[in-house]
Amino acid sequence: MEEIPTTDDAAGKRPNASPDHREVKRGEPLPPKLSQLRQKLGQKAKQEPHFRFYALYDRVYRFDVLLAAWWLVWKNKGAAGVDGQSCQDIIDGPGATSFLKELQEELRSQRYQPQAVKRVYIPKPDGKLRPLGIPTVKDRIVQQAVLLILEPIFEADFLDTSFGFRPGKNAHQAMAALQGHLRMGLREVYDADLQAYFDTIPHDQLLAAVCMRVADRSVLKLIRMWLAAPIVERDDSGRTTHRRSKQGTPQGGVISPLLANIYLHWFEVRFQRPDGPGTWAKAELVRYADDFVILARYQSQRLIDWVERTLEGRFKLRINRNKTRVVQLTQPGASLDFLGFTLRYDRDRFGRSQRYLNVFPSKKAQARLRAKIRFLTSGHRCFQPIREMIAEVNRVLRGWKTYFAYGYPRVAFRKLHWFVYDRMVRHLRRRSQRPFRPPVGVSYYAHLQTLGLQLL
């Protein structure tokens, strides 16, 4: 953080941090007073499960909170919103300190008004497009400040069945929980798919869920304004359209993952109640954001009907029945895809009679990596210096390897290892009109390693 410029001395200093009890977010310590505040909020919420917090707004616009929010937004390196202003523009213009002081005064006097959300689309693995909503930098800072205050309150309520977008939780823990349930014999899995979850959350019911813990009207007003902010979209012809919706929280907003978790938390609560399938079917649930699976010894029609009736009725969400399915992992060859991994019971590798639970990167995950490597090594990138290209390829491979090292990835790693090697050799050969050859006595493999390529 110390290396991030702000053009003025006050903002150039990172938030004061004592060496003790500092909470860390995205690899950076929070200011000690903010860490203490979050700890106290979490303790209060844990000790009094029905307490509604009524004095939070003045914490949101505290300067140390806004400054920490600024650092986190900067570190995320997000795109500009509808106003075209980036973090660097703020640094080059008024400077971070002046900008944050002005924003603090807007919040204190309640003159702050969020701007429209910029709608963009990114490709999905199935070839479709995923809509993202990009708030302005100013709105992202305020959302991050609210997130810093609300997160410990709701974290005290969230169940251990939820793993997505939570501090101290990750996808590998979700996979470990899933494997634990399978070892207990719960090998029939309801693999659910919610259709456009972030875009279909009803605002009135979401706000009611937030109100279960938050009574501060000013904080609720901020959330209500963000949900009601118009969405600006520009089509291929350059025409701009504005629209508002009574449902959905933009996927791309800083506060959206927390709001999405708050809403589905109440589905988990109903699932675990005495009249829910967690009790009468002895079923288990593992959720990562809007991806979840329900495991049981037997997926009865009563259990399936309860899930679909609850989600589509009470929660007003849509289940994608083309993708939702029941998987019987006891059947030979049956497999489950979850969080980019495939789980399947395979024949024991040492010839023993029992089968073992094989966990490896899914075909879709491998296909996405191949597509990314093809793009990075394609012919239209021959202008790029080879060491820069290899550095980009290495970054992609490191991230992929770190995530998919879980389970038994060796076979997939070996195939992708040689795929990357082949792509790099082909790229070297077509970089110029003269065929490329490595130095005499040096193989392509050794030469690529000399250039810095780090294969799987």
Side-chain angles (χ1 to χ4, degrees), residues 121-368:
Y121 293 89
I122 60 173
K124 294 172 63 176
D126 59 4
K128 298 181 180 179
L129 296 176
R130 183 192 306 278
L132 287 183
I134 303 177
T136 62
V137 171
K138 178 191 283 189
D139 293 337
R140 294 206 295 271
I141 293 171
V142 182
Q143 287 188 21
Q144 183 67 66
V146 172
L147 176 64
L148 287 170
I149 301 302
L150 294 188
E151 186 178 60
I153 296 172
F154 288 100
E155 272 296 315
D157 293 338
F158 289 159
L159 303 181
D160 291 337
T161 54
S162 169
F163 297 90
F165 303 113
R166 295 183 56 190
K169 302 283 189 178
N170 57 50
H172 289 175
Q173 292 173 342
M175 292 297 298
L178 176 56
Q179 287 180 275
H181 297 321
L182 291 172
R183 282 194 293 270
M184 295 298 292
L186 308 181
R187 296 184 180 179
E188 291 201 9
V189 185
Y190 180 86
D191 182 12
D193 185 87
L194 294 177
Q195 186 172 339
Y197 170 63
F198 280 82
D199 293 332
T200 56
I201 304 173
H203 290 173
D204 54 346
Q205 294 185 207
L206 173 58
L207 286 167
V210 176
C211 286
M212 296 292 287
R213 274 302 203 172
V214 178
D216 190 314
R217 293 184 179 181
S218 296
V219 172
L220 293 172
K221 180 183 176 182
L222 285 177
I223 297 174
R224 193 176 292 110
M225 288 193 299
W226 290 327
L227 293 175
I231 297 174
V232 176
E233 186 173 347
R234 178 170 294 181
D235 59 21
D236 295 336
S237 62
R239 185 178 60 181
T240 301
T241 57
H242 295 70
R243 66 178 182 85
R244 295 178 185 267
S245 177
K246 293 184 179 180
Q247 60 184 20
T249 175
Q251 196 169 356
V254 176
I255 198 74
S256 294
L258 175 63
L259 296 178
N261 270 337
I262 291 171
Y263 195 60
L264 276 184
H265 162 72
W266 288 102
F267 170 74
E268 294 176 89
V269 170
R270 294 184 70 83
F271 184 91
Q272 301 291 358
R273 288 193 329 189
D275 59 345
T279 301
W280 49 258
K282 293 182 172 54
E284 297 287 350
L285 184 147
V286 178
R287 181 174 71 85
Y288 190 95
D290 59 330
D291 292 327
F292 69 90
V293 291
I294 296 172
L295 303 95
R297 293 186 184 278
Y298 171 64
Q299 292 287 338
S300 66
Q301 192 60 46
R302 179 188 176 192
L303 194 159
I304 295 171
D305 290 343
W306 184 95
V307 173
E308 296 179 351
R309 183 175 63 251
T310 303
L311 287 172
E312 295 185 324
R314 185 176 185 85
F315 288 86
K316 298 181 181 178
L317 301 172
R318 295 197 300 266
I319 295 176
N320 186 342
R321 284 176 168 75
N322 293 328
K323 294 183 177 180
T324 299
R325 64 194 184 115
V326 173
V327 181
Q328 297 178 329
L329 287 175
T330 53
Q331 298 296 319
S335 64
L336 171 69
D337 284 358
F338 188 60
L339 302 181
F341 293 91
T342 294
L343 297 94
R344 186 180 65 211
Y345 280 95
D346 285 341
R347 187 177 300 170
D348 188 84
R349 292 177 295 173
F350 302 101
R352 292 171 294 192
S353 59
Q354 71 267 27
R355 293 178 177 270
Y356 79 101
L357 181 60
N358 195 1
V359 181
F360 54 94
S362 68
K363 290 182 179 179
K364 287 184 179 179
Q366 296 181 53
R368 286 196 292 270

Side-chain angles (χ1 to χ4, degrees), residues 67 87 89 123 165 222 253 338 353 356-357 381 401 413 450:
L67 184 56
C87 289
D89 293 330
F165 303 113
L222 285 177
F338 188 60
S353 59
Y356 79 101
L357 181 60
R381 294 176 66 87
K401 183 178 182 179
F413 278 12
T450 301

